[in-house]
Amino acid sequence: MDRQPVKKKFPWALLYIAATIVAVVLFGIFNREFGNVFYTITHLTPGFLTASVLVTVVFFFFEGGIIRLLMGSQNIPMSLGASMKIGLIGIYYSYITPSSTGGQPMQAAYLRRDKIPVGLSTAVLIMKFFCYQCAFVACSLVFFCLMYGKISRENPTILPFIVVGLLVNGLSILFFGSMFCRPVLGVLCRFAKWLAGKFKKLSARLNAMETIDRFEADFDSYTDDFKEKKKAVVQGILLSVPQFILQMSVLYFIFRSFGYRQPGYIEIVAVQSLLQASVSFMPMPGASGAQEIGFSSFFRPYFVNNDLYAAVMVWRFFTYYLVVIAGALLVVADQFLYEHRRKKQA
């Protein structure tokens, strides 16, 4: 009997890795300030720059720990290392996609490799985002009250942006929280089915209707079960407060690395949180453009030695570019390891 020729599989994994590498290279080429930042860093206080990196690492520990907590509340065991990997992957894809839309879907895709149903993982990840947004908005509101007098006197033009940012982020809490109400989830899933019905051939090929039904059932099971585990949600919100403060603290150490001593820690963190609230919903990847312009507006009174542009470059390097590079390296390494394990098991 003649053997049937083995159909070669297209190397999607290698294409995926190559696309990731090209994206990072292009990312550096089209951001001219990216190359100049290295020269600027060499003339700053290294101790404070090291502190900013350490703070970011601790931030990732919180990110992974909260994901692990919420997964554990659903009896899904996950090591801290695995949860930190999922956390960094989510941040990486959020940073390189418009309006940070790629984070949770890619995290769900990675968790699906570990046999965790997409509906269940999506529910956990949305709850993680909900916890963070609650901490983000609560802290920003406190900082806004604290800084309102000073900002209204010295920099009133930024007040409308802060108010709009707080409003948009506050509404996001209501929207994502409402997804755990069965009627709202039902409406969203029916809309997804209607949309899939407009592309019947593609829908049939991907089994879209069955996939949406399965997603809704998994999400529903999470909702029913989680009502008895509200303690985990409260813990997630409480842990998200120091996580958010850590994220906002990176700028303080960068500020000190430029040789500044005043104002103090609280004021720099407060203004940074209000900047984050003002631009976080912008549609560009990583809110690029809006972040840089916003930084110039919010921190012009603080970087007064003709070093504002250098501060923007260094700040973006440590809070954005460095995370993108770390995330890209993790994605490539993880994909290689996954393919290696899969070949050994075949």
Side-chain angles (χ1 to χ4, degrees):
M1 182 182 290
D2 293 336
R3 281 189 172 185
Q4 293 290 330
V6 178
K7 187 177 180 181
K8 290 185 178 180
K9 292 183 178 179
F10 189 82
W12 291 108
L14 293 177
L15 182 63
Y16 170 72
I17 291 170
T20 300
I21 294 171
V22 170
V24 174
V25 171
L26 292 175
F27 190 78
I29 291 173
F30 287 105
N31 286 272
R32 288 177 295 177
E33 69 270 23
F34 186 76
N36 297 330
V37 77
F38 294 103
Y39 174 81
T40 306
I41 288 174
T42 59
H43 290 75
L44 301 178
T45 307
F48 285 115
L49 294 180
T50 302
S52 69
V53 175
L54 291 175
V55 165
T56 302
V57 172
V58 178
F59 165 81
F60 286 131
F61 271 101
F62 271 90
E63 181 75 9
I66 296 170
I67 291 174
R68 184 170 181 254
L69 168 72
L70 296 175
M71 287 290 185
S73 70
Q74 292 301 113
N75 299 315
I76 301 173
M78 181 176 285
S79 67
L80 180 60
S83 60
M84 285 181 66
K85 181 188 77 173
I86 292 298
L88 180 54
I89 284 171
I91 293 170
Y92 166 68
Y93 282 105
S94 292
Y95 278 11
I96 64 172
T97 53
S99 299
S100 303
T101 52
Q104 283 81 16
M106 289 306 300
Q107 285 176 313
Y110 274 81
L111 290 169
R112 188 174 182 272
R113 294 191 328 192
D114 298 327
K115 311 302 180 186
I116 299 175
V118 172
L120 185 58
S121 64
T122 301
V124 172
L125 294 168
I126 288 176
M127 184 55 69
K128 165 66 179 70
F129 179 75
F130 174 83
C131 291
Y132 179 82
Q133 284 296 102
C134 286
F136 174 19
V137 173
C139 290
S140 297
L141 281 171
V142 171
F143 289 139
F144 184 53
C145 294
L146 182 67
M147 295 297 299
Y148 178 79
K150 183 178 177 66
I151 292 174
S152 62
R153 289 192 309 271
E154 300 178 4
N155 201 2
T157 57
I158 66 175
L159 286 174
F161 298 100
I162 297 172
V163 172
V164 171
L166 290 172
L167 181 62
V168 171
N169 283 285
L171 289 174
S172 75
I173 295 175
L174 296 178
F175 173 76
F176 287 104
S178 70
M179 291 184 68
F180 294 92
C181 298
R182 187 169 280 107
V184 176
L185 178 64
V187 169
L188 292 173
C189 288
R190 285 196 296 273
F191 175 75
K193 285 184 175 181
W194 173 82
L195 196 62
K198 298 296 182 180
F199 307 92
K200 292 184 179 179
K201 288 185 179 180
L202 182 62
S203 176
R205 185 177 179 181
L206 298 176
N207 296 319
M209 299 302 176
E210 294 83 354
T211 301
I212 293 169
D213 286 335
R214 193 161 55 247
F215 173 90
E216 185 175 7
D218 291 336
F219 203 107
D220 263 346
S221 69
Y222 173 92
T223 302
D224 290 338
D225 192 31
F226 209 84
K227 287 177 181 177
E228 302 172 2
K229 300 179 180 180
K230 294 179 181 177
K231 181 180 177 181
V233 178
V234 174
Q235 289 175 334
I237 294 172
L238 292 177
L239 287 171
S240 295
V241 172
Q243 183 195 19
F244 174 72
I245 298 298
L246 283 166
Q247 187 182 24
M248 298 299 103
S249 299
V250 174
L251 178 60
Y252 172 74
F253 295 104
I254 293 172
F255 179 73
R256 290 297 305 275
S257 74
F258 275 79
Y260 294 104
R261 294 182 179 273
Q262 294 296 330
Y265 173 78
I266 297 296
E267 183 168 337
I268 296 298
V269 170
V271 177
Q272 167 66 78
S273 73
L274 297 177
L275 167 61
Q276 188 70 14
S278 301
V279 302
S280 59
F281 57 91
M282 294 298 177
M284 296 300 291
S288 295
Q291 286 276 16
E292 289 82 357
I293 294 170
F295 188 97
S296 299
S297 300
F298 278 68
F299 284 98
R300 189 173 298 279
Y302 298 95
F303 291 90
V304 295
N305 293 331
N306 198 30
D307 51 9
L308 180 63
Y309 181 68
V312 172
M313 291 193 298
V314 175
W315 170 67
R316 284 296 272 172
F317 177 77
F318 279 95
T319 60
Y320 185 53
Y321 299 130
L322 200 58
V323 176
V324 168
I325 292 170
L329 291 173
L330 175 63
V331 166
V332 171
D334 181 73
Q335 192 65 37
F336 271 120
L337 291 172
Y338 174 73
E339 290 298 318
H340 178 69
R341 288 195 302 269
R342 196 172 68 168
K343 286 177 181 177
K344 285 183 68 175
Q345 294 169 0

